[in-house]
Amino acid sequence: MKTQYTVALALLAGFGLGATAIHGVSAQGMGKAPGVYAVVDISEITDPEGFKAVTQRPAASTTTVQMGGRYVTRTDKITALDGTAPKRFLVIAFDSMEKAQAWNSSAAQKEINAIRGKTTKSRSFIVEGM
């Protein structure tokens, strides 16, 4: 009879430890949300002189940082693996969709977007992280 109690207790203890371990493993995957990324893909610069108003403007970087953005990449050094590479490519990380949209709606960014729209063939969009 004593052996049965020992086996039952061992089974309960094993079940409890297993449940705790599974909960711990699943909790690791539920960390901080991945955030969102604003992507600007400039396929062609149609007015290089006019576009300098964007590239030589320190306010663009300042506004992005003030609005909670972090540059992941902002470059014209791009190597195509398939298809045609864009002339310039930017990825900016934000903690939330709301912050990314607020950045894009800010007066400073609207001005930059207007210049970019007149001087380039480009597109911009926001994507959710994984």
Side-chain angles (χ1 to χ4, degrees):
M1 186 77 150
K2 195 173 184 181
T3 304
Q4 290 175 336
Y5 286 121
T6 305
V7 171
L9 261 163
L11 283 173
L12 283 173
F15 178 77
L17 287 172
T20 302
I22 289 172
H23 176 71
V25 169
S26 67
Q28 288 177 0
M30 299 181 68
K32 187 180 172 199
V36 299
Y37 301 91
V39 179
V40 180
D41 175 0
I42 300 173
S43 60
E44 183 180 342
I45 299 172
T46 56
D47 178 2
E49 285 302 311
F51 187 66
K52 284 182 183 177
V54 172
T55 59
Q56 296 176 350
R57 176 181 289 225
S61 297
T62 304
T63 300
T64 299
V65 172
Q66 287 174 344
M67 301 295 290
R70 298 171 309 280
Y71 285 99
V72 175
T73 187
R74 178 174 56 170
T75 187
D76 58 359
K77 294 171 180 37
I78 304 164
T79 302
L81 298 177
D82 188 11
T84 304
K87 298 294 181 206
R88 191 161 175 82
F89 196 78
L90 291 86
V91 177
I92 306 166
F94 290 91
D95 291 335
S96 68
M97 182 67 74
E98 292 77 21
K99 286 185 179 184
Q101 290 173 332
W103 161 79
N104 193 56
S105 299
S106 69
Q109 190 58 38
K110 282 184 177 182
E111 186 178 332
I112 291 167
N113 289 344
I115 295 168
R116 181 177 49 82
K118 292 176 186 173
T119 61
T120 69
K121 290 183 181 178
S122 61
R123 58 189 179 156
S124 64
F125 45 92
I126 299 171
V127 296
E128 292 185 17
M130 292 180 56

